[in-house]
Amino acid sequence: MIDKFNFYDIYGYFLPGAAIVLLFWLPFGLVQGKWPDSGLGSAAIGIAVAYFIGHLLQIICTKLVPSSVEKGKDGHDRYPSDVVIDQGNERLTTELKTNLEEVVRKRFKLEIGVDKPESKALDRVRRDAFYCARHVLIKAKEVSYGEQFEGLYTLMRGLSAAFALGAANFCGWSLSLLHGKVLDYVVIVVITASLLAAANINVRKDISLSLEWWSAFLLILISMGAGYGMGRHNEVSIFKAEELAACALFALIACVRTYGAYKSFSFHFAITIWRDFYASCGGEQPPANKADNQKD
C-alpha cells in the first residue's frame, strides 16, 4: 500500500500512463480535430485516468518486458545484478568486486563467486545477496540514489510499452484506408482470436517462442485491430493516413530508444546498489569506472 505520492508514482505510473493516453488520443485529434479539454476538471480526471492506466501498464510490462539481460549457459535468465559481478564484466572494477565479495561473505554468509564461472545456482546466490544489500540500504535510508535509477528504468520500460502499443494503433488507423468487407472480417477474427489466445496462453507448453513474446505479439495485434476499427468508424482520408503512418514510425523509433534506455538504467541501478552497499559497510567509494560511461 502506498503511504504517499512520491517520485516513483510519477515515473512508474503517471508518466507512462499519460503517454499511452496521449498516444491513443492523437489519432482522434489528427482526424477529427478533437483534443482534450484544457479545463481544470478535465485535467484532474485526466491525471487520475493516466495514473490508473499507468498501474495497468506496469502490470503488463512486468510480465511482458523481461528484466533479464541475457541467458546463462544452462538457459536461465541473468539479471544486471548477476552480470556485473562476473569476472569479465568491466562495469565494476576487479578490486571493488573482490572487496565486495569479502563484505558479503562477512555480512550475509553468502558466496557471490566473483572468480567463478556463471551458473544458475551461483546467480541465485548473487540475487539473494543483492536483495539483502538493498534491504540494508533501505533500512539505513541510504538507497535514494539507487531509487532514482529504479524509477528511471521503470519509466523507460513503461514508455517503451506505451510507444509499442501506440505505433501498432497508429498502423491500424492508417490501414483503415484499405477497408473492405473481407478485411473487416479478417480484423474481427484476428482481434477475437488474439483475445482468446491472450486469455489462455499460459496453458500452452509446446510453443517455440517464450510466453512473453507471444503475449506481446497478441497485444500488438489487438492494439492494431482497435486502431483499424476506430479508423473505419472515423473515415480516415489519404492525407491523414500518411500522417498516422509517420506517427507510427516515430513511435516505433521512440520504443526502440526507450527500451535501450531501460536496459541501461537497469544496469546503473544494480551498480549503484552494489557500490552504495560496499560504501555503507565501511569501504571507500571507488572512482567511476570508464566502462560506466560507455553505452550499455
Side-chain angles (χ1 to χ4, degrees), residues 131-152:
Y131 288 132
C132 289
R134 188 183 179 195
H135 175 75
V136 169
L137 293 175
I138 292 174
K139 189 175 180 180
K141 298 182 179 180
E142 298 179 1
V143 75
S144 59
Y145 194 48
E147 284 182 337
Q148 292 181 28
F149 282 121
E150 183 182 19
L152 286 171

Side-chain angles (χ1 to χ4, degrees), residues 27-28 31-32 34 173 176 227-237:
F28 293 98
V31 175
Q32 294 188 342
K34 295 181 178 180
W173 276 80
S176 67
Y228 177 86
M230 291 296 99
R232 286 280 287 113
H233 179 72
N234 290 279
E235 299 181 352
V236 178
S237 66

Side-chain angles (χ1 to χ4, degrees), residues 61-68 71 75-77 197-198 200-219 259:
C61 289
T62 302
K63 296 292 185 182
L64 303 185
V65 182
S67 298
S68 58
K71 291 289 185 179
H76 71 283
D77 292 329
N200 296 280
I201 193 169
N202 287 329
V203 303
R204 292 292 305 275
K205 302 297 182 182
D206 57 339
I207 55 178
S208 58
L209 294 176
S210 68
L211 295 178
E212 291 82 3
W213 283 108
W214 272 112
S215 299
F217 178 68
L218 293 174
L219 283 177
Y259 183 76

Side-chain angles (χ1 to χ4, degrees), residues 2 4-21 46-60 62 150-151 154-159 162:
I2 297 175
K4 58 184 179 180
F5 193 81
N6 54 38
F7 84 96
Y8 188 87
D9 293 284
I10 298 175
Y11 285 6
Y13 302 125
F14 173 68
L15 291 179
I20 199 167
V21 169
I47 291 174
V49 170
Y51 186 64
F52 174 73
I53 292 178
H55 275 81
L56 297 180
L57 188 63
Q58 286 301 339
I59 292 173
I60 295 173
T62 302
E150 183 182 19
T154 303
L155 169 63
M156 292 299 114
R157 180 172 62 184
L159 289 179

Side-chain angles (χ1 to χ4, degrees), residues 62 72 94 106 123 170 181 183 185 237 274-275:
T62 302
T94 302
K106 291 180 178 179
D123 282 346
F170 293 151
K181 288 187 176 180
L183 186 56
Y185 290 140
S237 66
W274 281 130
R275 279 180 167 170

